Amino acid sequence: MENYIRCFDDVSKAAYDDEDIVTNTSSEQVHVENVILRIYKQFEEKASVDPDLPKLKKNSHANYLKNVLMQLPQSYSCLDASRPWLIYWILHGLWCLKDLPDASTLSKVVNFLAKCQNKDGGYGGGPGQFSHLGATYAAVNALSIIGTDEAYNSIDRSALQNFIWSVREVDGSFALHRGGEQDIRGAYCAISVAKVTNIYTDMLFDKTAEWIVSCQSYEGGFAGYPGMEAHGGYAYCGIASLALLNRTQLCDVDALLRWCANKQTSLEGGFQGRTNKLVDACYSFWQGAIFPIISAILSQDNKEMIETVLFNQGALQEYILVCCQASEGGLIDKPGKSRDIYHTCYTLSGLSIAQHGTGATNPYTVGSPHNELNRTHPLHNIGPHLAYNALHYFIRHPPPVKDKN
């Protein structure tokens, strides 16, 4: 694929048409587009004298993540119940940037996460907090990124399987915690954790695929719960779960592809999470990672599909590189927003998918070759070999667990 800068073209032709019916939604969309058009115009002027643009500010982003790993700003106190998530977002962002912390720092992370695993086997949002499937997924992913024997051995997998059993519902869905809501995030987190740690059994996920398929909406995307609105994050959880279960034939893949392709915004180049919502850089992963999963599904019948480009990789990279980098490091939702760890992680993940997500041998990198990131696994969102290493370690060291009757 030829590497060219899309926004050098007249992207204003793709501007939103409100059809003379002004609403809050249309006004916000027009405002965002006007801001981004100005940014693209300014970028074009700069790029006319610097052919290496756009550049990914890797060092700035890595320094930002390393600093918050050691000391979080006070503004993050509201996320005290999400500390394994914060660790995972930081470590995965650094992995994408090819700049993980030193072994001593990673060992301290392992020790902290060990304090977050409860006797019931699940991980809480911090030491002493209730077990939660989201925190459990984040902790297991973080430990898999670290990838040492110390990290792997810190997981009590027998207890972990018992915890997943304890939040399983009779219809195959999963509550996020005991007594909590059941939605598609719980199913995805449970499946991903079980697969990576080698505690998966067919009995544990009996009826789960059927329940997930019931969340696919008339739009083609997946909702968090049957009958609700399709959403990018839920759609990712749905198709990734079915792929991990090897049950993708149960859903309407064509409808999902159509819905997801229509979520890439024409002018901005990024993805929106729902119909008639604004572009948001975190959906670079939540929506973007769906495409390589669908390519893999379609390639089962047509091998050429594995390298077929199903979305505009260049447009997504331009939106991220030109519009979503904070000057002081970190990435943002959209122009005018503040940087944060969550958007830094998932925007980098989406950028990696846009570079590597077609299955092609050579990456497609907009701007300098220096912009290339490490690959991320579209099903687990950690490095592919990190997921492989964790699984094979746990295969060699099986826990003494039995299926519940």
Side-chain angles (χ1 to χ4, degrees):
M1 182 187 297
E2 182 183 357
N3 188 338
Y4 74 100
I5 305 298
R6 178 194 69 110
C7 61
F8 285 178
D9 302 331
D10 187 5
V11 294
S12 63
K13 295 178 181 178
Y16 179 78
D17 180 7
D18 64 10
E19 299 179 347
D20 296 324
I21 301 175
V22 179
T23 65
N24 288 339
T25 298
S26 67
S27 296
E28 290 175 355
Q29 178 64 31
V30 170
H31 171 71
V32 169
E33 288 187 0
N34 287 337
V35 170
I36 289 175
L37 276 173
R38 288 198 297 272
I39 292 173
Y40 279 152
K41 184 63 177 178
Q42 293 167 359
F43 167 75
E44 186 174 359
E45 293 172 357
K46 293 177 182 178
S48 65
V49 295
D50 186 350
D52 285 336
L53 291 178
K55 295 178 181 177
L56 179 64
K57 304 170 186 176
K58 285 185 175 180
N59 291 336
S60 296
H61 303 322
N63 289 336
Y64 164 63
L65 291 172
K66 287 180 178 179
N67 287 337
V68 293
L69 179 63
M70 302 310 297
Q71 183 172 2
L72 283 168
Q74 188 175 357
S75 59
Y76 281 89
S77 60
C78 62
L79 293 177
D80 180 64
S82 301
R83 291 165 77 182
W85 278 112
L86 298 174
I87 290 172
Y88 162 57
W89 295 335
I90 292 168
L91 291 186
H92 180 60
L94 289 170
W95 157 255
C96 288
L97 293 165
K98 308 178 183 180
D99 198 359
L100 279 177
D102 59 78
S104 176
T105 300
L106 294 177
S107 181
K108 292 176 182 177
V109 171
V110 173
N111 291 332
F112 173 77
L113 290 175
K115 297 176 182 177
C116 296
Q117 186 171 24
N118 295 311
K119 291 182 179 179
D120 66 8
Y123 286 78
Q129 298 188 25
F130 290 129
S131 296
H132 191 284
L133 272 175
T136 301
Y137 164 84
V140 169
N141 267 9
L143 292 166
S144 298
I145 292 169
I146 295 170
T148 60
D149 287 2
E150 179 189 28
Y152 297 145
N153 292 334
S154 72
I155 305 172
D156 184 342
R157 286 178 291 144
S158 295
L160 177 57
Q161 192 192 57
N162 289 335
F163 168 68
I164 295 177
W165 269 111
S166 74
V167 291
R168 184 187 184 278
E169 304 294 334
V170 294
D171 61 359
S173 65
F174 287 83
L176 286 163
H177 57 89
R178 288 190 180 119
E181 73 276 25
Q182 300 111 47
D183 70 37
I184 206 166
R185 296 171 301 169
Y188 167 71
C189 289
I191 296 165
S192 177
V193 165
K195 285 285 188 175
V196 168
T197 60
N198 193 37
I199 58 172
Y200 173 91
T201 69
D202 290 338
M203 189 180 298
L204 180 55
F205 295 99
D206 182 44
K207 301 180 183 177
T208 300
E210 289 77 7
W211 185 85
I212 291 170
V213 170
S214 72
C215 296
Q216 189 169 21
S217 78
Y218 71 93
E219 299 171 90
F222 287 77
Y225 192 83
M228 304 300 285
E229 181 185 14
H231 178 280
Y234 296 142
Y236 169 79
C237 289
I239 193 63
S241 295
L242 292 174
L244 288 167
L245 294 171
N246 198 27
R247 301 292 299 281
T248 55
Q249 72 277 7
L250 296 181
C251 74
D252 188 338
V253 174
D254 291 340
L256 174 61
L257 176 58
R258 180 178 61 250
W259 176 82
C260 198
N262 284 321
K263 296 289 119 8
Q264 187 168 24
T265 54
S266 300
L267 185 146
E268 306 93 303
F271 284 94
Q272 57 184 184
R274 290 179 287 162
T275 302
N276 286 331
K277 295 299 180 181
L278 299 175
V279 66
D280 184 337
C282 72
Y283 293 107
S284 302
F285 176 77
W286 296 123
Q287 301 279 26
I290 292 174
F291 292 99
I293 297 173
I294 291 178
S295 290
I297 295 168
L298 298 178
S299 71
Q300 294 172 5
D301 296 323
N302 182 354
K303 297 303 180 185
E304 294 181 359
M305 285 300 301
I306 194 63
E307 294 193 13
T308 300
V309 179
L310 299 176
F311 70 104
N312 192 325
Q313 298 168 265
L316 179 58
Q317 292 183 56
E318 288 173 34
Y319 174 67
I320 293 170
L321 294 169
V322 178
C323 300
C324 298
Q325 296 191 82
S327 58
E328 68 276 27
L331 289 107
I332 61 176
D333 162 354
K334 63 178 66 64
K337 298 290 186 178
S338 300
R339 64 179 181 173
D340 62 76
I341 303 169
Y342 168 84
H343 282 92
T344 299
C345 170
Y346 287 106
T347 304
L348 290 172
S349 297
L351 182 58
S352 174
I353 289 290
Q355 293 173 350
H356 301 283
T358 65
T361 302
N362 297 319
Y364 173 59
T365 306
V366 170
S368 167
H370 172 76
N371 292 343
E372 184 183 349
L373 298 173
N374 274 332
R375 290 177 181 266
T376 191
H377 197 303
L379 297 179
H380 298 288
N381 201 24
I382 59 177
H385 81 275
L386 299 176
Y388 176 90
N389 290 347
L391 173 60
H392 281 265
Y393 180 90
F394 294 131
I395 288 174
R396 296 194 305 272
H397 302 83
V401 295
K402 295 182 180 179
D403 258 327
K404 267 195 170 183
N405 295 319

Short mmCIF file of all heavy atoms in Angstrom, two decimals, residues 13 22 41 43 47 62 86 109 115 122 156 162 173 211-212 219 232 245 253 264 294-296 355 367 369 392-393 403:
data_model
loop_
_atom_site.label_atom_id
_atom_site.label_comp_id
_atom_site.label_asym_id
_atom_site.label_seq_id
_atom_site.Cartn_x
_atom_site.Cartn_y
_atom_site.Cartn_z
N LYS A 13 -14.49 18.06 2.01
CA LYS A 13 -15.59 17.52 1.21
C LYS A 13 -16.37 16.45 1.98
O LYS A 13 -17.50 16.13 1.61
CB LYS A 13 -15.05 16.94 -0.10
CG LYS A 13 -14.43 17.98 -1.03
CD LYS A 13 -13.86 17.32 -2.28
CE LYS A 13 -13.23 18.35 -3.20
NZ LYS A 13 -12.63 17.70 -4.41
N VAL A 22 -30.72 21.57 12.73
CA VAL A 22 -29.68 21.76 13.72
C VAL A 22 -30.12 21.16 15.06
O VAL A 22 -31.19 21.46 15.56
CB VAL A 22 -29.35 23.25 13.89
CG1 VAL A 22 -28.28 23.45 14.95
CG2 VAL A 22 -28.90 23.84 12.56
N LYS A 41 -4.94 21.62 8.51
CA LYS A 41 -4.39 22.67 7.67
C LYS A 41 -3.04 23.14 8.22
O LYS A 41 -2.07 23.33 7.47
CB LYS A 41 -5.37 23.85 7.61
CG LYS A 41 -4.92 24.97 6.68
CD LYS A 41 -4.84 24.49 5.23
CE LYS A 41 -4.46 25.63 4.29
NZ LYS A 41 -4.32 25.17 2.89
N PHE A 43 -1.05 21.39 10.06
CA PHE A 43 -0.11 20.28 9.86
C PHE A 43 0.42 20.28 8.43
O PHE A 43 1.62 20.06 8.20
CB PHE A 43 -0.79 18.95 10.16
CG PHE A 43 -0.01 17.75 9.69
CD1 PHE A 43 1.11 17.32 10.37
CD2 PHE A 43 -0.38 17.08 8.54
CE1 PHE A 43 1.85 16.24 9.92
CE2 PHE A 43 0.34 15.99 8.08
CZ PHE A 43 1.46 15.57 8.78
N ALA A 47 4.29 20.21 7.45
CA ALA A 47 4.81 19.05 6.72
C ALA A 47 5.44 19.46 5.38
O ALA A 47 6.26 18.72 4.83
CB ALA A 47 3.70 18.04 6.48
N ALA A 62 6.41 7.82 26.64
CA ALA A 62 6.99 6.85 27.56
C ALA A 62 7.33 7.50 28.90
O ALA A 62 7.09 6.93 29.97
CB ALA A 62 8.24 6.21 26.95
N LEU A 86 -5.03 0.69 35.97
CA LEU A 86 -4.02 1.73 35.75
C LEU A 86 -2.66 1.11 35.43
O LEU A 86 -1.95 1.57 34.52
CB LEU A 86 -3.92 2.62 36.99
CG LEU A 86 -5.19 3.39 37.38
CD1 LEU A 86 -4.99 4.10 38.71
CD2 LEU A 86 -5.57 4.38 36.29
N VAL A 109 5.77 -4.19 40.86
CA VAL A 109 4.41 -4.27 40.33
C VAL A 109 3.81 -5.63 40.64
O VAL A 109 2.65 -5.75 41.05
CB VAL A 109 4.40 -4.00 38.81
CG1 VAL A 109 3.03 -4.29 38.22
CG2 VAL A 109 4.80 -2.56 38.52
N LYS A 115 -1.01 -8.50 46.14
CA LYS A 115 -1.82 -8.03 47.26
C LYS A 115 -3.26 -7.75 46.86
O LYS A 115 -4.15 -7.66 47.71
CB LYS A 115 -1.20 -6.76 47.86
CG LYS A 115 0.18 -6.97 48.45
CD LYS A 115 0.77 -5.64 48.92
CE LYS A 115 2.19 -5.85 49.46
NZ LYS A 115 2.82 -4.56 49.86
N GLY A 122 -10.24 -13.97 42.81
CA GLY A 122 -10.34 -12.81 41.95
C GLY A 122 -9.45 -11.68 42.43
O GLY A 122 -8.94 -11.69 43.55
N ASP A 156 -2.82 -17.34 41.80
CA ASP A 156 -3.41 -18.56 42.34
C ASP A 156 -4.51 -19.00 41.38
O ASP A 156 -5.65 -18.58 41.47
CB ASP A 156 -3.98 -18.30 43.73
CG ASP A 156 -4.52 -19.58 44.39
OD1 ASP A 156 -4.76 -20.57 43.68
OD2 ASP A 156 -4.73 -19.55 45.63
N ASN A 162 -12.15 -20.86 40.57
CA ASN A 162 -13.30 -20.87 41.46
C ASN A 162 -14.02 -19.52 41.45
O ASN A 162 -15.26 -19.47 41.50
CB ASN A 162 -12.86 -21.22 42.89
CG ASN A 162 -12.45 -22.67 43.03
OD1 ASN A 162 -12.88 -23.53 42.26
ND2 ASN A 162 -11.60 -22.95 44.00
N SER A 173 -23.98 -16.19 31.01
CA SER A 173 -23.42 -14.85 31.17
C SER A 173 -22.59 -14.79 32.44
O SER A 173 -22.58 -15.73 33.25
CB SER A 173 -24.54 -13.81 31.22
OG SER A 173 -25.35 -14.00 32.37
N TRP A 211 -25.30 -16.73 24.67
CA TRP A 211 -25.70 -15.50 25.35
C TRP A 211 -25.07 -14.28 24.69
O TRP A 211 -25.72 -13.25 24.50
CB TRP A 211 -25.31 -15.54 26.83
CG TRP A 211 -25.81 -14.35 27.58
CD1 TRP A 211 -27.03 -14.18 28.15
CD2 TRP A 211 -25.09 -13.12 27.78
NE1 TRP A 211 -27.13 -12.93 28.71
CE2 TRP A 211 -25.96 -12.25 28.50
CE3 TRP A 211 -23.82 -12.68 27.45
CZ2 TRP A 211 -25.60 -10.97 28.88
CZ3 TRP A 211 -23.45 -11.37 27.83
CH2 TRP A 211 -24.32 -10.54 28.53
N ILE A 212 -23.80 -14.39 24.31
CA ILE A 212 -23.12 -13.27 23.65
C ILE A 212 -23.80 -12.92 22.34
O ILE A 212 -24.03 -11.74 22.04
CB ILE A 212 -21.63 -13.62 23.42
CG1 ILE A 212 -20.89 -13.68 24.76
CG2 ILE A 212 -20.97 -12.61 22.48
CD1 ILE A 212 -19.50 -14.25 24.66
N GLU A 219 -28.49 -3.32 14.51
CA GLU A 219 -27.51 -2.50 13.79
C GLU A 219 -26.35 -3.33 13.25
O GLU A 219 -25.69 -2.93 12.31
CB GLU A 219 -26.95 -1.42 14.71
CG GLU A 219 -27.97 -0.44 15.24
CD GLU A 219 -27.37 0.45 16.32
OE1 GLU A 219 -26.84 1.52 15.97
OE2 GLU A 219 -27.42 0.08 17.50
N GLY A 232 -19.07 0.38 20.51
CA GLY A 232 -17.78 -0.10 20.05
C GLY A 232 -17.07 -1.01 21.03
O GLY A 232 -16.53 -2.05 20.66
N LEU A 245 -13.72 -18.38 21.82
CA LEU A 245 -14.51 -19.60 22.01
C LEU A 245 -14.61 -20.44 20.74
O LEU A 245 -15.18 -21.53 20.77
CB LEU A 245 -15.93 -19.23 22.48
CG LEU A 245 -16.05 -18.58 23.86
CD1 LEU A 245 -17.48 -18.09 24.08
CD2 LEU A 245 -15.66 -19.56 24.96
N VAL A 253 -21.53 -11.91 10.94
CA VAL A 253 -20.26 -11.22 10.74
C VAL A 253 -20.39 -10.10 9.71
O VAL A 253 -19.81 -9.02 9.88
CB VAL A 253 -19.16 -12.22 10.31
CG1 VAL A 253 -17.87 -11.49 9.97
CG2 VAL A 253 -18.90 -13.24 11.42
N GLN A 264 -16.11 4.50 11.23
CA GLN A 264 -14.93 5.30 10.95
C GLN A 264 -15.38 6.61 10.33
O GLN A 264 -16.03 6.62 9.28
CB GLN A 264 -13.93 4.59 10.04
CG GLN A 264 -12.62 5.37 9.89
CD GLN A 264 -11.51 4.57 9.24
OE1 GLN A 264 -11.76 3.61 8.51
NE2 GLN A 264 -10.26 4.96 9.48
N ILE A 294 -12.24 -9.97 12.12
CA ILE A 294 -13.14 -10.33 11.02
C ILE A 294 -12.34 -10.86 9.83
O ILE A 294 -12.75 -11.83 9.17
CB ILE A 294 -14.00 -9.12 10.61
CG1 ILE A 294 -15.00 -8.80 11.73
CG2 ILE A 294 -14.74 -9.40 9.30
CD1 ILE A 294 -15.87 -7.59 11.44
N SER A 295 -11.19 -10.25 9.55
CA SER A 295 -10.35 -10.75 8.45
C SER A 295 -9.97 -12.20 8.68
O SER A 295 -9.99 -13.03 7.75
CB SER A 295 -9.08 -9.90 8.31
OG SER A 295 -9.37 -8.62 7.83
N ALA A 296 -9.63 -12.54 9.93
CA ALA A 296 -9.26 -13.92 10.24
C ALA A 296 -10.45 -14.86 10.08
O ALA A 296 -10.30 -15.99 9.60
CB ALA A 296 -8.73 -14.00 11.67
N GLN A 355 -1.18 -0.13 12.09
CA GLN A 355 0.10 -0.41 11.44
C GLN A 355 0.26 -1.88 11.08
O GLN A 355 0.83 -2.21 10.04
CB GLN A 355 1.25 0.01 12.36
CG GLN A 355 1.35 1.50 12.60
CD GLN A 355 2.40 1.86 13.64
OE1 GLN A 355 2.93 0.98 14.33
NE2 GLN A 355 2.70 3.13 13.78
N GLY A 367 4.03 8.40 8.11
CA GLY A 367 5.09 9.23 8.66
C GLY A 367 6.41 8.49 8.72
O GLY A 367 6.67 7.54 7.98
N PRO A 369 9.41 5.98 9.69
CA PRO A 369 9.45 4.58 10.15
C PRO A 369 9.63 4.47 11.66
O PRO A 369 9.27 3.46 12.26
CB PRO A 369 10.67 4.02 9.40
CG PRO A 369 10.81 4.87 8.19
CD PRO A 369 10.38 6.25 8.62
N HIS A 392 1.70 -20.93 27.42
CA HIS A 392 2.56 -22.12 27.40
C HIS A 392 3.26 -22.33 28.73
O HIS A 392 3.54 -23.48 29.09
CB HIS A 392 3.54 -22.03 26.23
CG HIS A 392 2.92 -22.39 24.92
ND1 HIS A 392 2.99 -23.65 24.40
CD2 HIS A 392 2.14 -21.67 24.06
CE1 HIS A 392 2.32 -23.69 23.26
NE2 HIS A 392 1.80 -22.51 23.03
N TYR A 393 3.51 -21.29 29.47
CA TYR A 393 4.03 -21.48 30.83
C TYR A 393 2.98 -22.20 31.68
O TYR A 393 3.30 -23.14 32.41
CB TYR A 393 4.38 -20.13 31.46
CG TYR A 393 4.93 -20.27 32.87
CD1 TYR A 393 6.30 -20.42 33.08
CD2 TYR A 393 4.09 -20.26 33.98
CE1 TYR A 393 6.82 -20.56 34.36
CE2 TYR A 393 4.59 -20.41 35.26
CZ TYR A 393 5.96 -20.56 35.45
OH TYR A 393 6.46 -20.71 36.72
N ASP A 403 -13.29 -29.38 37.43
CA ASP A 403 -14.54 -28.71 37.04
C ASP A 403 -15.55 -28.84 38.17
O ASP A 403 -15.62 -29.84 38.86
CB ASP A 403 -15.11 -29.37 35.78
CG ASP A 403 -14.82 -28.54 34.55
OD1 ASP A 403 -14.78 -27.31 34.68
OD2 ASP A 403 -14.62 -29.14 33.48
#
